[in-house]
Amino acid sequence: MTPPNSATGPLHGPAASAGRADEDGHRLTERPETTYASAGVDVEAGDRAVELMKSAVSATHNANVVGGVGGFAGMFDASFLKDYERPLLASSTDGVGTKVAIAQQMNIHDTIGWDLVGMVVDDIIVGGAKPLFMTDYIACGKLVPERIADIVRGIAEACREADVALVGGETAEHPGLLGEDEYDVAGAATGVVDATDMLGAQKVQTGDVLIGLPASGLHSNGYSLVRRVIEDAGWDLHSRVDEFGRTLGEELLVPTRVYTGQLLELLDNQPGAVHAMSHVTGGGLSANMARVLPTGSIGIMRRGTWEVPPVFNVLGDLGGVPQADRERTWNMGVGMVLVVDADRVDDVLGSFSGSWVLGEVAEDNGEHSSDSYYVTGAKGVDGGAAILLD
C-alpha cells in the first residue's frame, strides 16, 4: 500500500507526475492560481454595485451628512444637538426576516428595502425620537450588481420618505455560506429626542384613547408561518388570488408602511396630543401594546373597529391557523397604535388619513386577567396589559 505522503499518494494524485523540481531537487506540484474571484468573491462586481446605487444613496443626504459616499464610516454633523436641553440618542437595528425568501423566489428585490427601513426607523419614532441616519448591511452568496442596486434603491427611497439620511452600508459576498441567489439584509439607525419630549408609559393616563393606523399588509413579521401555510397548501406564488386582485407573491411582497415621516409631522403640529406609540411587529397587536403602558393599566382594543385585510383571513383559513395564533403573529391590519390624550382625539384623527379609534386605556382591575387573549409582561417589559375584545 502506498503511504499517504508519497508523491503518487492520494494527497497529490496524478498531477504530481506533471510537477517540476526546485533547485534542491524536490518535486513541486503545479496548481492553478487561487484568486479571490476563484474563491467566489467578485470585487469588481462590488464596485459596479456601488456605482449603480450611488445616486439613490446620495439623494437621501442632507446638510448634516459629511463626506458623501465611499468613506470607511458615515459621518454626520451633530452640532444641532447643542440646542437640546437634554438630548437622548435612540438606536434600533433589525432585519426583514424570511420575507426575503419570497423576494428571491419572485425575483423582485426593490420592495425589501422599504421593509428594512420601516422595521428600523418606526421603532425609533415610537419613543418620540426623530431618526437621523441609517446604515445597511447586505450579505449574499453571489454579488449581482443589479440585484444589490435594487435592494439599496428601495432602502434609499424609504429613507427619503422618512427624512432619514442613508450614510453608509456594506455588501458582503459569502460563497459557500449562502446560495448564489440567496441574500439577507439588516439595518441600524440612530435618532434623537429631548428628554422632556420622550414618549412612553410615563406619560400614559387612564382614559387615554387608542388610535389605530392602518397597515399596508403583512409588513415583515410572521413570514415563517406564511411560508409554511402556502407550502402545505401547495400554492404557487405566481398564481392569481381573486381576493387580492394580484398574484400571491405580489401580495406577500407589499412593502412595510413607513410611518415615521407622517408621525414626525403629527408630533410637530399637535404637541402633547400623543402620549405613547406602539409599533405592531413580532408578537402581534396585544403584546406590542402592553409594552408601552404603565403597570396597573390595560389597553382594551376592540376587533369590530376595523376591517381585517383579506390577506390575513385567506392565509389563516387556508392553513387552519387559530385566531389566537393569527393575532399573536400578524398585525391583522393594524401597523401602529397611538395612545392619545382623550381631549385631542379629533386633532389626531384629522392628521392621519385612515386612522380610527381602536379602544382606550383603563385601570387593570383584574376583570380580564383570566381571558386567554389577555397579555402582560410582553417582550420582557414589566409594564401594563392589553387585550383584544369582540
Side-chain angles (χ1 to χ4, degrees), residues 37-384:
S38 71
V41 178
D42 189 340
V43 176
E44 292 182 358
D47 291 339
R48 291 198 301 275
V50 171
E51 288 302 317
L52 290 173
M53 69 177 74
K54 184 185 292 185
S55 62
V57 173
S58 297
T60 73
H61 292 181
N62 53 38
N64 293 319
V65 177
V66 179
V69 177
F72 282 90
M75 296 291 182
F76 193 86
D77 186 344
S79 300
F80 63 91
L81 293 182
K82 293 182 291 185
D83 298 329
Y84 283 69
E85 181 179 344
R86 185 188 169 201
L88 303 179
L89 295 180
S91 67
S92 174
T93 185
D94 211 336
V96 178
T98 61
K99 188 172 185 176
V100 297
I102 305 293
Q104 290 159 15
Q105 292 174 59
M106 291 292 292
N107 197 28
I108 297 174
H109 310 287
D110 57 337
T111 63
I112 286 296
W114 281 81
D115 292 305
L116 181 63
V117 174
M119 294 299 289
V120 174
V121 302
D122 284 346
D123 274 358
I124 287 179
I125 190 65
V126 160
K130 172 180 171 51
L132 301 174
F133 55 84
M134 181 168 176
T135 58
D136 65 75
Y137 178 80
I138 305 170
C140 57
K142 180 178 180 180
L143 200 157
V144 179
E146 293 76 15
R147 183 163 61 203
I148 298 300
D150 278 349
I151 297 170
V152 175
R153 186 174 67 252
I155 295 173
E157 289 173 352
C159 281
R160 291 184 67 185
E161 174 81 9
D163 192 22
V164 177
L166 183 60
V167 298
E170 175 72 10
T171 301
E173 203 165 13
H174 292 167
L177 182 63
L178 294 169
E180 287 196 357
D181 293 324
E182 293 180 337
Y183 61 83
D184 199 7
V185 297
T190 298
V192 64
V193 61
D194 216 320
T196 57
D197 297 324
M198 186 177 69
L199 304 181
Q202 77 281 359
K203 290 191 174 182
V204 175
Q205 303 172 7
T206 298
D208 280 352
V209 175
L210 306 180
I211 292 181
L213 305 184
S216 57
L218 286 156
H219 285 187
S220 302
N221 294 103
Y223 272 79
S224 293
L225 176 58
V226 169
R227 292 167 57 240
R228 177 62 181 270
V229 166
I230 62 178
E231 180 183 347
D232 288 350
W235 278 26
D236 187 339
L237 291 175
H238 297 279
S239 297
R240 179 181 172 84
V241 179
D242 290 339
E243 290 90 338
F244 305 154
R246 53 188 158 198
T247 68
L248 173 62
E250 289 169 337
E251 179 68 25
L252 298 183
L253 286 181
V254 171
T256 301
R257 183 170 183 173
V258 178
Y259 298 94
T260 290
Q262 288 179 280
L263 289 175
L264 286 171
E265 290 183 12
L266 173 61
L267 294 179
D268 286 342
N269 296 333
Q270 301 294 338
V274 179
H275 294 163
M277 300 183 191
S278 174
H279 188 197
V280 185
T281 55
L285 185 53
S286 293
N288 285 289
M289 189 72 251
R291 299 168 69 183
V292 301
L293 299 179
T295 302
S297 68
I298 182 170
I300 299 174
M301 299 167 287
R302 294 178 175 83
R303 296 185 181 93
T305 60
W306 83 97
E307 185 175 350
V308 176
V311 65
F312 300 101
N313 292 327
V314 169
L315 292 173
D317 293 345
L318 179 66
V321 182
Q323 183 69 23
D325 220 56
R326 301 183 195 192
E327 292 180 345
R328 64 172 167 248
T329 305
W330 298 325
N331 66 57
M332 302 303 289
V334 187
M336 186 83 74
V337 180
L338 311 183
V339 184
V340 176
D341 187 309
D343 295 330
R344 307 287 299 278
V345 170
D346 289 341
D347 294 334
V348 174
L349 290 174
S351 300
F352 210 106
S353 177
S355 59
W356 73 96
V357 174
L358 175 63
E360 69 278 340
V361 178
E363 182 181 349
D364 189 5
N365 57 15
E367 177 184 355
H368 302 289
S369 59
S370 61
D371 193 302
S372 60
Y373 289 94
Y374 177 90
V375 176
T376 188
K379 304 284 186 176
V381 177
D382 185 16

